[in-house]
Amino acid sequence: MKKIAFLGVGNMGNPMAQNLHKAGFDLTVFDVSTKALEVATAAGLKAAKSASEATNGVDAIVSMLPASRFVEDLYLSEGGLLDVTPKNTLLIDCSTIAPKSAQNVIEKALAKGFEMIDAPVSGGTAGAAAGTLTFMVGGEESTLEKARPLLEKMGKNIFHAGKAGAGQVAKVCNNMLLAIHMIGSCEALELGSQNGMDPKVLSEILMQSSGRNWSLEVYNPWPGVQENVPSSKEYQGGFAVDLMAKDLGLAMEAGLEKNVSTPLGATARNLYRIHSQNGNGRLDFSSVLKMLQESSR
Ligand code: NAD
């Protein structure tokens, strides 16, 4: 496998594509956003003018798009990728989308003779840049094995979650938990700060205590506590509030379908929706700290 098309070079796709490029794959990228394409080409990636130009003659296509409807449109629309791509092209969708949507796209791809997996990721933009993402893969194990040489260049942990859509189920569970511990970490830091503690000192204590979690450890929401995290860059880049609200919506849908109670997930979704409606949708999701601060001051 040599020639690869990467579609969707936003906050995550750009660093992921760069790792494939650095690993020596013949890579062409495409994004509907001119700005995203400019950033990618400035970083040395070869860009195409359309998805069909990027995917012409490639061995594999990797997509990294915002949500279900974008993925369905790319693959399933009339004249979309399933219509115009040769059947021996391996299809890998890394976007976080509804499990049902992933199942639908993969089912249609398989019916047309393609091999396809859902392979959403965890690890954030830093993990994407470092090539240390965790991949949660749904689909046939034999298809995962074909994709593995690509995934290994972008990630450190590759799990076979189960059949088509199972990667998305794992991802939705992970992100619900992530939102809950991010909000909890923000609450704890604001509580400590309002009671006279330095958030940096408090973070150090919590990281060696039973409140320890990923949000505190590698993605601290308090500006200035850690370098190179979105909170220290005015919550720019990273993982958008709107994308987190989307993922929590996917978790709520999955819960409703199977009658599973997710009270903290539901609260987290409401908080992220309100935070977005207050004009913060494009900020990183750790900016939920600002919302708690506004209500406590
Ligand atoms: P983003 O909005 O920065 O990037 C998505 C890109 O896809 C945009 O540049 C957009 O223009 C492009 N796009 C949309 N439709 C397209 C199409 N038809 N063809 C080509 N490009 C198209 O989002 P992101 O933060 O990179 O996230 C991408 C996906 O990864 C989302 O599903 C998100 O939930 C998931 N994710 C994000 C993070 C994170 O930390 N940002 C972490 C894990 C997973």
Side-chain angles (χ1 to χ4, degrees):
M1 198 158 15
K2 184 90 187 76
K3 280 191 85 177
I4 313 293
F6 201 111
L7 308 178
V9 280
N11 288 331
M12 291 294 287
N14 184 19
M16 289 167 73
Q18 283 186 43
N19 281 328
L20 291 179
H21 174 64
K22 276 185 224 146
F25 290 102
D26 179 358
L27 189 82
T28 308
V29 305
F30 173 69
D31 197 296
V32 290
S33 149
T34 322
K35 193 172 161 227
L37 271 187
E38 278 169 11
V39 174
T41 45
L45 299 178
K46 180 172 68 183
K49 289 191 180 66
S50 66
S52 54
E53 186 187 312
T55 57
N56 187 23
V58 298
D59 302 308
I61 297 173
V62 183
S63 48
M64 190 52 165
L65 309 186
S68 304
R69 68 190 163 90
F70 297 86
V71 175
E72 286 169 10
D73 189 51
L74 180 72
Y75 287 96
L76 305 183
S77 63
E78 217 181 300
L81 290 185
L82 294 194
D83 283 346
V84 301
T85 310
K87 309 288 178 243
N88 59 352
T89 312
L90 176 64
L91 307 177
I92 306 170
D93 181 44
C94 296
S95 326
T96 303
I97 63 174
K100 271 190 156 177
S101 174
Q103 282 160 6
N104 178 35
V105 175
I106 294 178
E107 210 171 90
K108 294 206 162 98
L110 296 186
K112 288 199 169 191
F114 290 95
E115 289 186 281
M116 181 171 193
I117 50 174
D118 52 303
V121 304
S122 176
T125 46
T132 57
L133 292 171
T134 293
F135 283 92
M136 308 166 199
V137 178
E140 293 296 325
E141 196 142 15
S142 54
T143 313
L144 163 57
E145 288 317 312
K146 285 187 185 163
R148 192 178 286 278
L150 286 186
L151 304 186
E152 277 174 349
K153 299 293 180 287
M154 300 183 281
K156 192 172 65 168
N157 300 300
I158 301 166
F159 290 101
H160 186 220
K163 55 189 194 309
Q168 299 296 349
V169 174
K171 174 65 184 170
V172 156
C173 294
N174 180 73
N175 275 22
M176 184 178 81
L177 184 55
L178 168 62
I180 292 167
H181 67 62
M182 175 56 81
I183 295 167
S185 299
C186 291
E187 279 186 22
L189 293 179
E190 175 63 3
L191 177 66
S193 166
Q194 288 297 317
N195 282 278
M197 275 207 76
D198 177 346
K200 190 165 185 161
V201 174
L202 180 55
S203 294
E204 279 161 16
I205 294 171
L206 295 177
M207 281 191 289
Q208 298 306 324
S209 306
S210 45
R212 181 177 183 179
N213 68 71
W214 186 92
S215 293
L216 279 175
E217 223 164 15
V218 299
Y219 214 92
N220 199 294
W222 199 281
V225 168
Q226 277 166 357
E227 283 177 16
N228 290 325
V229 290
S231 61
S232 296
K233 296 185 260 184
E234 296 181 342
Y235 300 105
Q236 298 300 314
F239 181 41
V241 165
D242 280 345
L243 290 179
M244 178 52 100
K246 171 211 57 164
D247 289 358
L248 289 165
L250 297 178
M252 296 306 99
E253 277 169 29
L256 280 171
E257 209 168 292
K258 299 289 177 195
N259 211 16
V260 180
S261 299
T262 51
L264 295 184
T267 302
R269 176 177 180 271
N270 285 329
L271 289 173
Y272 274 108
R273 284 296 304 141
I274 295 166
H275 192 42
S276 172
Q277 281 155 4
N278 288 342
N280 301 301
R282 303 287 302 162
L283 294 186
D284 178 72
F285 81 113
S286 60
S287 66
V288 71
L289 173 72
K290 293 194 330 162
M291 182 186 191
L292 296 171
Q293 289 176 327
E294 277 154 21
S295 63
S296 68
R297 290 173 189 188

